[in-house]
Amino acid sequence: MGKSAQTTVSRTALYTSEERRRRDSSVWTLVQGVLAPIQFLIFIVSLFLILRYLMIGQGLAAAQVSVVVKTLALYAIMVTGSIWEKEVFGRYLFARPFFWEDVFSILVLALHTAYLASLFTNALSPLPLMLLALAAYVAYLVNAGQFLWKLRLARLDQGRSSSVAEVTMSGGCLPGSAP
């Protein structure tokens, strides 16, 4: 197959080698790795409590408290994530590889914060308040999906850079590359 007939998808690696080194040596990478699943577990419990309230009308206080706990976990992961981003990329938010994830994270934060403001000022009755929480959770799921996708891309990049190093050290060439 000629080179013109080949279709290749080119994308910039998620991390430079220096960024990867900083990522791998940062304590905040571990913190994010611990906080993310904890936040997700809190989300699952909270979602159950919200849906339970919406379906049978019971457990409003538990649902409300669970959203507060979820929001506090979100704040913790956002603050530590910003510190991580500063260590790895040199800026607290909107670094090139995570720009759109950070943009969407701001929406997630805004919805969760609107929930807290509405709860503590009694601006919304229970049903609209729980619907606001659900909107915040939908945004959170989209954002979590964005970050999972980036994690996958980082792993693919890591595998690709390992393959290139192995092939280069053995004197070979990668499929589709010139000898």
Side-chain angles (χ1 to χ4, degrees):
M1 180 181 296
K3 224 176 184 34
S4 62
Q6 290 178 343
T7 52
T8 59
V9 176
S10 176
R11 72 171 171 80
T12 305
L14 195 58
Y15 299 97
T16 65
S17 58
E18 180 58 24
E19 290 166 346
R20 188 177 312 108
R21 185 197 62 72
R22 288 192 301 260
R23 177 202 68 193
D24 293 346
S25 66
S26 175
V27 68
W28 298 108
T29 301
L30 176 62
V31 170
Q32 291 292 288
V34 169
L35 285 178
I38 290 171
Q39 180 185 206
F40 189 74
L41 289 173
I42 294 167
F43 160 77
I44 293 295
V45 170
S46 183
L47 180 62
F48 170 79
L49 293 170
I50 291 168
L51 293 175
R52 179 175 168 249
Y53 170 74
L54 290 173
M55 288 192 281
I56 63 174
Q58 294 179 349
L60 176 62
Q64 290 173 327
V65 168
S66 74
V67 179
V68 171
V69 171
K70 164 66 174 73
T71 302
L72 294 175
L74 174 68
Y75 287 162
I77 205 165
M78 288 300 298
V79 168
T80 59
S82 293
I83 295 167
W84 174 87
E85 206 164 319
K86 174 72 172 165
E87 271 194 11
V88 175
F89 300 107
R91 55 188 314 161
Y92 287 105
L93 281 173
F94 308 117
R96 173 196 47 82
F98 292 96
F99 180 84
W100 291 110
E101 291 77 6
D102 288 348
V103 168
F104 211 82
S105 291
I106 298 301
L107 171 64
V108 173
L109 280 172
L111 288 168
H112 281 75
T113 302
Y115 173 87
L116 289 182
S118 298
L119 175 68
F120 293 121
T121 62
N122 291 315
L124 295 175
S125 61
L127 178 61
L129 189 63
M130 289 298 107
L131 294 176
L132 176 57
L134 285 179
Y137 283 14
V138 167
Y140 161 74
L141 279 175
V142 170
N143 198 223
Q146 289 177 304
F147 281 104
L148 288 173
W149 176 249
K150 285 297 169 88
L151 179 63
R152 176 163 166 59
L153 290 178
R155 287 185 180 178
L156 290 173
D157 285 347
Q158 186 70 30
R160 183 172 44 183
S161 67
S162 296
S163 296
V164 169
E166 290 169 11
V167 169
T168 302
M169 288 190 304
S170 70
C173 62
L174 291 174
S177 65

